[in-house]
Amino acid sequence: MELVAPEAGRLHAASLAALPAQVARPGYDRAALKAGIVHLGLGAFARAHLAAVNDAALRAGADRGWGICGVSLRQADTRDALAPQDGLYALALRSAGEDGRPRQHLTVIGCLLETLVAPEDPQAVLARIAGPDTRIVSVTVTEKGYCHDPASGRLDLAHPDIAHDLAQPAAPRSTIGFLVRGLQRRRAAGLGPVTVMSLDNLPANGRLLRAMVLAFATRVDAALAAWIAAACEFPCSMVDRIVPRTTDADRQEIAGALGVRDAWPVLAEPYLEWVVEDRFAAGRPDWTAGGARFVDDAAPFETLKLRMVNGAHSALACLSVMAGWTTVDQAMAQPAMACYLRDLMRNEIEPTLPALPGLDLMAYRQRLLRRFANPALKHQTRQIAMDGSQKLPQRLLATVRARLAADLPFPGLALAVAGWLHFLRGVDQDGRRYDIQDPMADILARRYASAERAALQAGADSAGGVWAGAERAGEDTAGEEPAAAMLAWTGELTGLEAVFGDLGQNPRFVRAVAQAVQSLRSLGVAGALAARGLPRPG
Ligand code: CS2
């Protein structure tokens, strides 16, 4: 980090010694660190997960070559907040004590040495990836950052950033462009290979990243692609920690506890899991000191986490936004929601999971429900509901496919999928509008409009009257056959292949989702949750 004169009252290397005794701080010599890790996507998640684990490894005596150079791919705000702080920031782990009162443990993280802002200086990012100290390039860019088609998993060559990066070698914009051009420079400079490590919530994240990098590299230079394929490693990993967005109220509260201002602290739950495949091209720190686990195959851990944690999270989030429940703990305080999630996991998700020797699934589920109920996190349901087009395939639809293949029912999953479709309306049950933040937002809006038209048409054609009549407010239609309008509406939306693949052609799937949509539209979220499992009328 470029040396900046300490600002009075601001977190900085010079203010570390005066922090209250209960605040943990880097006990190692920061000046001796070198950035062996270049991290792309320096959001709150990376700062509360990878950096926290890496910091713990450094405290435990890891080699001084394992500092981090962080890269923000879009905005300058993280750099602007952290550069005047010498790269230091606080991590606040929040939970509720036995008495239900919020508790917080603060650690100042010291391993972030430099923050680059890619659009300001793409050359600096490429130079870092191609730097002699760099041994790992890690990535947290969220699902949409892979520029792939979520249903097929193929690189989207029509993506504007990918098209740009193929045409403009010197100044990439996308993660994939930076990786390939950076690796190209490394190879040209005669430097050794690195590990490229995905830490995003995607199945086989390392394999997916490798496939995207190779698909791009093949278009640049076949020999480069062959070198990457043979020499670089792309381990898969499962990452788990709930990291809500930092608010101004959090900043104020944390400043009070630190005694100095931190422009961008991060918050998280105390729980952390990181299971990573032990395949590294140029060494790695011993992250076990910070709670990581090294394995041969991360796949069963990923499936467990994506289906249970993220599947349940997305189910809760979309339904809650519609119901006006703004935070996850508020939603969990609704008994019908807590029961729904428990049943969803126990009855529908858990039977699809691969065996994991030694895992107590019941304990995992119960702990997860407690994690969601953590009242100290205030995790916004809208934050989780965003980017549904990128999240649904691995979080919910893979589980639906497993249920369909085993000829098993999936009413809870159907309600979760219906929840997302219902959420795409952009207006909650009380008439509050919200934006649909999603890379496919335009396509989704068009589909939504045509689904409404299809429903009106089908409603008018059938004996049941018009579409509006199919939404019989307050009437329990949950157990009934879905009306023609509901089927038409659901069929139009689930016909979106980039998200649903061939599921939209499966009548069992469309019917189950249409039935859940019917329940949501007629009873509202709370009513639909409460009506679950009631004996079918008649
Ligand atoms: C969440 C995840 O925002 C979301 O979509 O489901 O970020 C979730 O909090 C983490 O994956 C938990 O490990």
Side-chain angles (χ1 to χ4, degrees):
M1 192 67 49
E2 197 185 316
L3 266 189
V4 184
E7 189 186 300
R10 183 89 179 255
L11 179 63
H12 189 274
S15 58
L16 278 178
L19 293 177
Q22 65 276 18
V23 177
R25 63 204 89 185
Y28 48 85
D29 177 10
R30 294 186 73 226
L33 294 185
K34 281 189 184 156
I37 301 171
V38 176
H39 183 77
L40 307 183
L42 193 63
F45 181 73
R47 293 205 279 136
H49 190 274
L50 165 74
V53 173
N54 196 58
D55 200 67
L58 288 169
R59 283 162 211 245
D63 176 310
R64 296 298 172 240
W66 292 116
I68 300 178
C69 163
V71 179
S72 294
L73 289 158
R74 302 262 174 269
Q75 322 273 8
D77 47 5
T78 307
R79 190 270 323 273
D80 293 349
L82 300 187
Q85 300 179 183
D86 207 17
L88 295 169
Y89 62 91
L91 166 64
L93 299 185
R94 292 185 170 173
S95 56
E98 295 285 298
D99 53 2
R101 305 246 297 267
R103 273 201 309 220
Q104 167 165 285
H105 181 264
L106 290 169
T107 303
V108 172
I109 304 294
C111 60
L112 184 64
L113 303 182
E114 175 184 41
T115 301
L116 303 176
V117 182
E120 280 178 12
D121 193 354
Q123 290 299 317
V125 179
L126 295 176
R128 274 298 186 197
I129 297 176
D133 293 335
T134 303
R135 291 185 274 169
I136 294 175
V137 183
S138 50
V139 174
T140 51
V141 291
T142 79
E143 297 86 347
K144 60 178 175 276
Y146 290 69
C147 301
H148 69 304
D149 177 61
S152 71
R154 273 196 289 275
L155 182 66
D156 178 4
L157 291 167
H159 191 294
D161 290 350
I162 296 295
H164 171 275
D165 292 359
L166 282 167
Q168 309 280 334
R173 286 186 191 151
S174 70
T175 301
I176 307 301
F178 273 111
L179 286 171
V180 173
R181 301 296 181 188
L183 292 173
Q184 186 176 27
R185 283 207 190 183
R186 266 197 96 77
R187 180 163 171 264
L191 290 166
V194 292
T195 301
V196 184
M197 180 172 71
S198 166
L199 302 173
D200 280 301
N201 284 317
L202 284 158
N205 53 10
R207 270 210 301 283
L208 177 74
L209 185 55
R210 181 175 188 271
M212 299 307 100
V213 163
L214 292 181
F216 188 111
T218 308
R219 282 172 175 75
V220 170
D221 170 4
L224 169 68
W227 177 76
I228 296 173
C232 294
E233 292 286 356
F234 293 76
C236 294
S237 65
M238 177 271 260
V239 291
D240 194 3
R241 171 167 261 181
I242 296 174
V243 182
R245 208 168 270 154
T246 308
T247 64
D248 286 339
D250 298 320
R251 286 187 176 84
Q252 260 173 32
E253 214 248 273
I254 290 168
L258 290 174
V260 285
R261 189 167 81 85
D262 176 352
W264 208 333
V266 288
L267 337 161
E269 61 175 340
Y271 183 88
L272 176 140
E273 269 211 283
W274 183 11
V275 178
V276 54
E277 290 175 352
D278 203 358
R279 293 188 279 112
F280 288 78
R284 58 152 174 90
D286 181 9
W287 286 314
T288 54
R293 231 176 332 154
F294 292 99
V295 296
D296 290 337
D297 178 14
F301 299 92
E302 286 172 358
T303 307
L304 167 75
K305 196 269 171 168
L306 287 169
R307 293 190 185 177
M308 293 284 274
V309 182
N310 298 112
H313 233 184
S314 287
L316 174 148
C318 297
L319 292 168
S320 298
V321 171
M322 289 308 283
W325 302 326
T326 55
T327 62
V328 176
D329 63 303
Q330 187 191 357
M332 289 299 291
Q334 317 292 323
M337 174 60 88
C339 282
Y340 162 63
L341 289 184
R342 184 204 57 204
D343 291 353
L344 177 70
M345 292 190 242
R346 188 178 57 189
N347 304 339
E348 297 183 36
I349 303 176
E350 288 172 23
T352 73
L353 297 175
L356 257 174
L359 175 77
D360 178 347
L361 256 180
M362 189 167 80
Y364 185 89
R365 179 202 327 132
Q366 286 168 347
R367 189 176 48 205
L368 181 53
L369 291 168
R370 284 198 300 276
R371 291 170 62 199
F372 285 173
N374 184 341
L377 289 178
K378 300 281 170 261
H379 198 187
Q380 300 290 314
T381 49
R382 276 205 206 162
Q383 185 187 339
I384 304 162
M386 68 188 275
D387 291 349
S389 68
Q390 315 293 301
K391 293 175 173 174
L392 249 66
Q394 61 277 7
R395 293 182 175 205
L396 295 167
L397 303 178
T399 323
V400 168
R401 283 178 210 280
R403 304 280 307 171
L404 280 167
D407 204 15
L408 293 166
F410 51 93
L413 291 159
L415 184 58
V417 175
W420 180 59
L421 300 182
H422 196 37
F423 159 86
L424 293 178
R425 186 178 197 161
V427 185
D428 76 10
Q429 289 175 180
D430 297 317
R432 281 179 293 250
R433 295 195 166 273
Y434 49 84
D435 287 341
I436 304 298
Q437 293 180 32
D438 196 298
M440 290 179 68
D442 292 345
I443 297 171
L444 294 172
R446 282 200 294 279
R447 276 276 170 168
Y448 195 91
S450 64
E452 291 286 317
R453 283 195 299 276
L456 272 171
Q457 181 65 42
D461 290 350
S462 74
V466 293
W467 169 229
E471 282 189 72
R472 286 170 288 162
E475 261 181 70
D476 183 2
T477 55
E480 291 176 17
E481 275 299 296
M486 302 288 174
L487 280 171
W489 187 89
T490 307
E492 181 64 21
L493 281 162
T494 55
L496 194 61
E497 263 179 55
V499 177
F500 292 96
D502 59 1
L503 274 177
Q505 265 67 66
N506 185 316
R508 269 185 70 196
F509 174 70
V510 177
R511 182 167 295 273
V513 175
Q515 198 163 39
V517 171
Q518 179 156 310
S519 176
L520 284 171
R521 289 186 81 133
S522 57
L523 300 176
V525 172
L529 289 173
R532 277 179 330 110
L534 290 184
R536 292 168 72 104

